[in-house]
Structure formats: structure tokens, C-alpha cells
């Protein structure tokens, strides 16, 4: 990478790599409006956001803290303990629930936390139940309490994803994808279910009487309370694909391996249809598994639309709901395979794919509650380049992002792509809004109203410098950054090393002084400016 060259409109990064654009235009405008630090007591290990809240899991801890992103200073909403060490956490916009993968005594668990906003007191009552078994007691009487739903799996969960349109849950295991459908039970249905359970169990009359009396005390404000549950609906078996990350959006299923990305479309119909599987489908998988003595390096491959079915990744469907009469079919949408690029300064792990994301976009005439967004985009990234595809109305590559340095993580939004390196937060423009605008009005690009083409080259904006960035997540205009760095400078480290040889007592006291001086991590919330303000600033530089 050659150094950037200053121009009258910004900076151009010139790249001499193979099969990469020669330059990326950088606008000298600042996309960030404000910045604040979240006051967290313990060092964050995991950070996620959604539903106007920031979720922080302490390093190695079993406790989740939720902070408000929509209030100044990010005050604490609630905190609650988990049943195991949290390995991953995600929030679902539909249903407002949290899903975690946890570990305890060497075993992995998948759990969903509902009504978490009502856990104001840390020692408040919590209901724990199994998938499909609704609780009685406080739930029937209308009392609102947090519930922990145990979701059993036959394989170890590797990755999870929540659909932003339906609230369904997708779980990636070592060789399969398990889809759980979100179900809602209102107050009346829950009473009928518990009444039928009581009739089967033939409880004593005193219990029924006390239950009816408590139900009569239910306030009118709790009559519309709905309770969440999940149903295991479909299992997609992948015999030659080991998921590292998954994504789910409006029937689209995306799976990411180390150097491969596969996007499928899962459709359900009432007609009785059967999938025809090639008899040679699994023979190729056995052939590859037999070649254990050879190192096979797959060639680079990109298959779009109907051509994606020619990839060597067979998929089979297993229905798990007996009462479900619908027939499920899977169609291949996109397949992309990369060859390993071992360049100077990068290891094998640093050349793997990351940041898989399926992103829906609704037009102004649509409602977010609709199950079919106008556009669905798929984004994934390598440490050196990111790729944005449009899936609906024909699969095509919208933009390819070339990074000036190695990127750790990236998040796609409506108007910007946020990427982080170890030392900076960088923003790029996206063409998602242009695609949606042309879907809503195909004749929008006229002499009276201009709309940029979807194939217009992307641009970079002025970066914001940080120290030791580790992760990024975005909610609305709030960009959350977690940084971690050593508090001691190289000079201080050298001096402390010299002191260790002089006196053991001196060494112990110096460590205490360093730990009391401050921590080496920070949790930032950076707010971006409005798209109109950013556009006006970019126009002045054009």
C-alpha cells in the first residue's frame, strides 16, 4: 500500500495489489457528532446493542448489564445474572428478547431471556422453563417477570442469529442449521393452556379456587400481555459446510465458513412438493473426506442466482413439526469462495471472513411490520476487502470495499458502513438507499429529481482515531466501540522490569500503584450526524 496522496477534494489511497481498484476517494468531512464514555464498573468482555439498549457482559462473568442508549449519559436500565458463562449475546427487535450461548461445566447451552426490562431489581423473581412449556403462576395472573427459556439442541451451538423482520431464531451447529419460529401467546390462550394442563393433572379444588381468585385480581393493563415461545420448525443439514457465523432475514439464510459464504432462500408452501436430490450429491462429500493425506486448496469461485446451485455444498431439509402441513423448499441464491491470501504480517486466522450480515430495507410506503422488505442485502468482509450484494430482484454485487489497512469488524447500516481497525473507526458510503429508491420509483432519476446509480463507486469519510479497538456494534445513529489497551507505556514497562531485579517488595507495590491508576479499557458511544447534514457537507466538497 502506497501512502495517501492529498488532492483538492480529499485523500486518495493508492493500492498496487492484484485485482484491486487503484484508488479510493476520501471526503474530508466528519460523520460523527458527539462522543461519550459509558461508565461500566468491570471490564466488558462482550458488547451488543438493540432495542435502544446497550448490553455489556463482564469478562468471564455471568451477569448482563443493560444501559440506555437513548438517554444522556447511558444510565443503567437493569442487570441480571445468567445461568452460565456467556459466550455470545444478541437482541431481537421483534419480541424484544435476548438470546445467548452459554457454557457451564464444559457443556454449551442456548437460552432466551424475555421480559428482561422488568428485572429492575437484581434479586427479583425469575421464571425458568423449557422450550414449549409455558409457566403458570405469575404469568397467568398477569404479573410480569423475566423468563429464561431453555432451548435444547442435539449438537453444540456455534452461532445464532435473529430475524429482524419476523423474530425467528436461527442456530448454527457444526453440521446443521436449526430454525426456531417465534410464537406469541396472549393472556387468554395462556389461561386455556394452563387450564387444560390442570384438568389433565386433576389438581385439588383449593388450588383451582386460589388460582381463579388470583386471576380475578388481574389488572386491565395486563390483559394484553403476550408471552413468547419458540417452536423448532426446520433443520437444514449441511454435510460439507462448517458454519462459523449465520444470518437470517425474511426467509434468506446466510452461512459463513472460514473462506466461504452461502446464501439460501427458504420457502414454505401449502402444496405437496418434494425436493429432488441428486444421487451423486453425497458421493462428492465422501470423496473429499477420503483425501485426508492431501491438502486441497479450493479455487476462487463466485456463483450468483441459479448458478449457485452448482456449488459443491449439498443441503437437505428435515421437518420437525408434525402438525405443519407446509412443504419447505430451498433455493440457492449466492455462493462465494475465496482462496487464502497469505501476505506479509498476517496469519491464517487473520485471512478469514468475518462480519456476515443480512440487512433488510423498507421503502417509505411500507411498514416495518411487513414480512417482506423491499430490499435485502448481504454483506461480508475479509480483513482487506468487503463485499455488498443485493439479493432481491436479481443477485448482483453492488459494491466492493478496499480497506487501506486490516479491518477487524464491520457493520452495515442504511447510509454508512462502519469498519474498525486497531486504531481507527472508518466510515464508507453505501448504495442501499439508491436501490430502494429505484424500487419505489423506477423513474426517479430525471432532470427534476436526481438519484445516484447503484453502481456508483463508494467513498470513504474522515476517520476517527482510537487506541486498541476490539469490537463495534450499531443501533440507529449510535456506534458503540470497545477498546482495550495496556495502561503502561514502553518506558514504564522497561522501568518496572528493572525494578523486579532490585527488590521483590518494590515490585509488588509498583503493581498496586499501576492497577489503582486506572484501567486499560473504555466503552465509547459515538453518535453520527444526520444523513442530510452529511450530504450537504459532501456536496460542498464536490
Amino acid at each position: 500500500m502506497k501512502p495517501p496522496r492529498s488532492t483538492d477534494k480529499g485523500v486518495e489511497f493508492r493500492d498496487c495489489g492484484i485485482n484491486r481498484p487503484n484508488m479510493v476517494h476520501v471526503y474530508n468531512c466528519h460523520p460523527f457528532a458527539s462522543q461519550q464514555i459509558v461508565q461500566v464498573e468491570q471490564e466488558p468482555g462482550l458488547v451488543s446493542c438493540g432495542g435502544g439498549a446497550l448490553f455489556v457482559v463482564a469478562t468471564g462473568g455471568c451477569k448482563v448489564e443493560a444501559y440506555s442508549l437513548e438517554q444522556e449519559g447511558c444510565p443503567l436500565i437493569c442487570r441480571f445474572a445468567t445461568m452460565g458463562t456467556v459466550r455470545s449475546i444478541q437482541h431481537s427487535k421483534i419480541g424484544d428478547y435476548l438470546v445467548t450461548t452459554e457454557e457451564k461445566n464444559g457443556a454449551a447451552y442456548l437460552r432466551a431471556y424475555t421480559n428482561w426490562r422488568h428485572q429492575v431489581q437484581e434479586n427479583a423473581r425469575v421464571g425458568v422453563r423449557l422450550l414449549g412449556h409455558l409457566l403458570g403462576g405469575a404469568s397467568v395472573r398477569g404479573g410480569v417477570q423475566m423468563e429464561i427459556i431453555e432451548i435444547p439442541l442435539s449438537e453444540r451451538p456455534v452461532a445464532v442469529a435473529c430475524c429482524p423482520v419476523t423474530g425467528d431464531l436461527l442456530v448454527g451447529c457444526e453440521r446443521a442449521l436449526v430454525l426456531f419460529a417465534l410464537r406469541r401467546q396472549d393472556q387468554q390462550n395462556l389461561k386455556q393452556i394452563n387450564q387444560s394442563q390442570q384438568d389433565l393433572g386433576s389438581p385439588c379444588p383449593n388450588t383451582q379456587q386460589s388460582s381463579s381468585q388470583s386471576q380475578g385480581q388481574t389488572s386491565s393493563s395486563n390483559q394484553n400481555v403476550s408471552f413468547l415461545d419458540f417452536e423448532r420448525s426446520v433443520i437444514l443439514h449441511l454435510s460439507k459446510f462448517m458454519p462459523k457465523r449465520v444470518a437470517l432475514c425474511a426467509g434468506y439464510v446466510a452461512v459463513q465458513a472460514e473462506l466461504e459464504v452461502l446464501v439460501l432462500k427458504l420457502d414454505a408452501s401449502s402444496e405437496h412438493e418434494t425436493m429432488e436430490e441428486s444421487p451423486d450429491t453425497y458421493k462428492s462429500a465422501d470423496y473429499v473426506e477420503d483425501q485426508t493425506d492431501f491438502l486441497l486448496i479450493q479455487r476462487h469461485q463466485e456463483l450468483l442466482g441459479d448458478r449457485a446451485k452448482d456449488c459443491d455444498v449439498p443441503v437437505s431439509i428435515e421437518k420437525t413439526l408434525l402438525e405443519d402441513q407446509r412443504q419447505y423448499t430451498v433455493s440457492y441464491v449466492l455462493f462465494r469462495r475465496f482462496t487464502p491470501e497469505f501476505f506479509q504480517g498476517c496469519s491464517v486466522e487473520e485471512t478469514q471472513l468475518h462480519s456476515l450480515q443480512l440487512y433488510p430495507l423498507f421503502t417509505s410506503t411500507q411498514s416495518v411490520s411487513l414480512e417482506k422488505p423491499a430490499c435485502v442485502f448481504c454483506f461480508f468482509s475479509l480483513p482487506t476487502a468487503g463485499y455488498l450484494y443485493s439479493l432481491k430482484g436479481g443477485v448482483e454485487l453492488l459494491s466492493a470495499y478496499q480497506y487501506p489497512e486490516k479491518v477487524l469488524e464491520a457493520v452495515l447500516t442504511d447510509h454508512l458502513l462502519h469498519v474498525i481497525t486497531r486504531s481507527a473507526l472508518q466510515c464508507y458510503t453505501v448504495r442501499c438507499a439508491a436501490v430502494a429508491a429505484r424500487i419505489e420509483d423506477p423513474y426517479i432519476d430525471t432532470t427534476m429529481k436526481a438519484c445516484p446509480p447503484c453502481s456508483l463507486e463508494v467513498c470513504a469519510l474522515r476517520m476517527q482515531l482510537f487506541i486498541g479497538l476490539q469490537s463495534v456494534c450499531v443501533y440507529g445513529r449510535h456506534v458503540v466501540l470497545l477498546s482495550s489497551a495496556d495502561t503502561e507505556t514502553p518506558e514504564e514497562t522497561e522501568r518496572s522490569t528493572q525494578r523486579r531485579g532490585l527488590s521483590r517488595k518494590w515490585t509488588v507495590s509498583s503493581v498496586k500503584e499501576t492497577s489503582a491508576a486506572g484501567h486499560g479499557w473504555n466503552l465509547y458511544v459515538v453518535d453520527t450526524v444526520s444523513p442530510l447534514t452529511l450530504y450537504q457537507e459532501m456536496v460542498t466538497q464536490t
Side-chain angles (χ1 to χ4, degrees):
M1 174 71 69
K2 293 185 178 181
R5 178 171 62 89
S6 299
T7 63
D8 56 346
K9 296 181 181 179
V11 181
E12 292 178 349
F13 289 96
R14 293 178 293 171
D15 196 339
C16 297
I18 301 176
N19 297 328
R20 294 179 183 174
N22 293 329
M23 60 184 65
V24 177
H25 183 75
V26 179
Y27 279 90
N28 191 23
C29 54
H30 203 57
F32 309 112
S34 62
Q35 174 181 316
Q36 59 181 327
I37 297 178
V38 184
Q39 301 298 326
V40 184
E41 296 180 357
Q42 299 180 354
E43 180 179 1
L46 293 175
V47 175
S48 181
C49 56
L54 168 64
F55 306 99
V56 180
V57 181
T59 302
C62 302
K63 183 180 297 184
V64 178
E65 295 181 343
Y67 298 87
S68 176
L69 288 174
E70 299 176 342
Q71 299 183 26
E72 187 68 24
C74 299
L76 179 68
I77 299 176
C78 64
R79 61 165 56 98
F80 56 90
T82 59
M83 302 180 66
T85 303
V86 180
R87 298 306 180 189
S88 68
I89 181 171
Q90 286 196 17
H91 175 268
S92 174
K93 177 181 178 181
I94 308 299
D96 193 26
Y97 67 88
L98 292 170
V99 58
T100 63
T101 56
E102 304 175 14
E103 186 174 344
K104 188 174 183 180
N105 298 328
Y109 300 91
L110 180 67
R111 296 185 174 101
Y113 293 78
T114 64
N115 297 332
W116 54 270
R117 297 182 187 270
H118 300 276
Q119 199 70 6
V120 180
Q121 298 180 357
E122 189 175 352
N123 57 352
R125 181 177 178 179
V126 178
V128 182
R129 63 181 175 89
L130 194 62
L131 175 77
H133 296 268
L134 297 175
L135 291 177
S139 299
V140 178
R141 294 193 299 268
V144 181
Q145 66 178 17
M146 188 178 77
E147 285 190 351
I148 303 176
I149 305 176
E150 295 275 356
I151 304 177
L153 293 170
S154 59
E155 298 182 16
R156 186 182 183 91
V158 177
V160 295
C162 303
C163 179
V165 180
T166 62
D168 294 344
L169 177 63
L170 179 67
V171 183
C173 301
E174 293 182 356
R175 294 292 182 181
L177 304 177
V178 186
L179 179 63
F180 294 89
L182 179 65
R183 296 289 182 260
R184 294 178 182 268
Q185 298 289 346
D186 57 12
Q187 191 81 358
Q188 188 65 27
N189 293 337
L190 187 61
K191 291 179 182 179
Q192 295 177 358
I193 293 174
N194 284 272
Q195 184 64 35
S196 61
Q197 293 177 355
Q198 290 178 1
D199 294 340
L200 293 175
S202 62
C204 59
N206 294 334
T207 305
Q208 293 180 352
Q209 184 178 0
S210 60
S211 177
S212 61
Q213 291 177 356
S214 60
Q215 292 176 12
Q217 298 174 358
T218 303
S219 60
S220 59
S221 60
N222 290 327
Q223 292 297 327
N224 296 326
V225 175
S226 61
F227 302 91
L228 302 181
D229 198 15
F230 298 90
E231 286 183 335
R232 183 188 286 105
S233 57
V234 174
I235 300 179
L236 301 179
H237 295 277
L238 308 175
S239 61
K240 295 179 57 181
F241 210 94
M242 296 187 65
K244 299 295 183 181
R245 193 180 178 113
V246 296
L248 177 66
C249 180
Y252 288 92
V253 177
V255 196
Q256 173 188 296
E258 293 182 353
L259 290 171
E260 296 174 327
V261 173
L262 176 64
V263 181
L264 306 170
K265 184 66 168 65
L266 182 63
D267 295 310
S269 61
S270 58
E271 300 178 358
H272 294 281
E273 300 176 355
T274 57
M275 290 188 59
E276 296 182 359
E277 298 182 356
S278 174
D280 299 331
T281 300
Y282 294 96
K283 291 183 180 180
S284 60
D286 297 335
Y287 175 77
V288 175
E289 292 177 357
D290 292 339
Q291 309 299 323
T292 56
D293 296 334
F294 299 93
L295 178 61
L296 301 178
I297 298 179
Q298 303 287 349
R299 61 182 178 86
H300 179 84
Q301 194 174 19
E302 181 186 33
L303 302 175
L304 307 180
D306 295 336
R307 293 181 55 199
K309 64 183 179 180
D310 297 331
C311 68
D312 55 347
V313 182
V315 179
S316 60
I317 302 178
E318 177 186 352
K319 291 177 55 178
T320 57
L321 287 178
L322 297 178
E323 63 275 9
D324 191 359
Q325 301 298 327
R326 296 178 299 176
Q327 297 295 324
Y328 292 90
T329 58
V330 168
S331 56
Y332 291 80
V333 178
L334 167 66
F335 179 76
R336 186 76 185 262
R337 175 188 289 134
F338 298 89
T339 56
E341 294 183 3
F342 305 108
F343 48 91
Q344 185 177 5
C346 289
S347 61
V348 178
E349 292 76 11
E350 293 174 337
T351 61
Q352 297 178 2
L353 288 164
H354 61 77
S355 304
L356 176 67
Q357 190 176 354
L358 288 177
Y359 194 81
L361 199 61
F362 296 85
T363 61
S364 59
T365 59
Q366 287 184 305
S367 174
V368 182
S369 60
L370 295 178
E371 295 186 0
K372 293 184 179 181
C375 307
V376 177
F377 303 94
C378 179
F379 176 82
F380 50 88
S381 179
L382 288 167
T384 57
Y387 302 90
L388 177 62
Y389 287 86
S390 176
L391 302 182
K392 296 196 67 174
V395 185
E396 63 173 331
L397 176 63
L398 287 182
S399 305
Y401 298 86
Q402 303 297 329
Y403 309 133
E405 56 182 313
K406 186 183 67 176
V407 166
L408 304 178
E409 197 172 354
V411 179
L412 177 68
T413 62
D414 290 345
H415 306 284
L416 293 174
L417 173 68
H418 302 277
V419 301
I420 60 169
T421 64
R422 285 291 296 173
S423 59
L425 168 65
Q426 180 82 50
C427 295
Y428 293 85
T429 57
V430 296
R431 305 305 175 198
C432 299
V435 176
R438 293 179 182 275
I439 291 178
E440 186 177 17
D441 185 5
Y443 306 100
I444 192 173
D445 195 5
T446 61
T447 56
M448 302 297 296
K449 186 187 300 182
C451 180
C454 305
S455 58
L456 187 66
E457 293 184 0
V458 295
C459 303
L461 306 179
R462 194 169 65 186
M463 66 179 63
Q464 183 82 3
L465 298 179
F466 291 90
I467 298 177
L469 289 180
Q470 288 189 344
S471 65
V472 58
C473 59
V474 179
Y475 173 76
R477 292 172 53 188
H478 308 287
V479 182
V480 181
L481 302 170
L482 174 62
S483 68
S484 177
D486 296 334
T487 56
E488 290 186 349
T489 61
E491 293 79 10
E492 292 175 345
T493 305
E494 183 178 358
R495 285 197 298 266
S496 63
T497 304
Q498 296 174 356
R499 291 173 181 174
R500 290 191 183 98
L502 298 176
S503 172
R504 180 176 298 180
K505 184 178 180 180
W506 189 300
T507 305
V508 174
S509 61
S510 64
V511 172
K512 290 183 178 179
E513 292 173 359
T514 303
S515 61
H519 53 73
W521 51 266
N522 277 307
L523 192 58
Y524 301 95
V525 176
V526 183
D527 294 340
T528 59
V529 299
S530 64
L532 182 59
T533 303
L534 184 60
Y535 172 76
Q536 291 174 349
E537 187 176 356
M538 294 176 67
V539 168
T540 58
Q541 300 184 19
T542 303

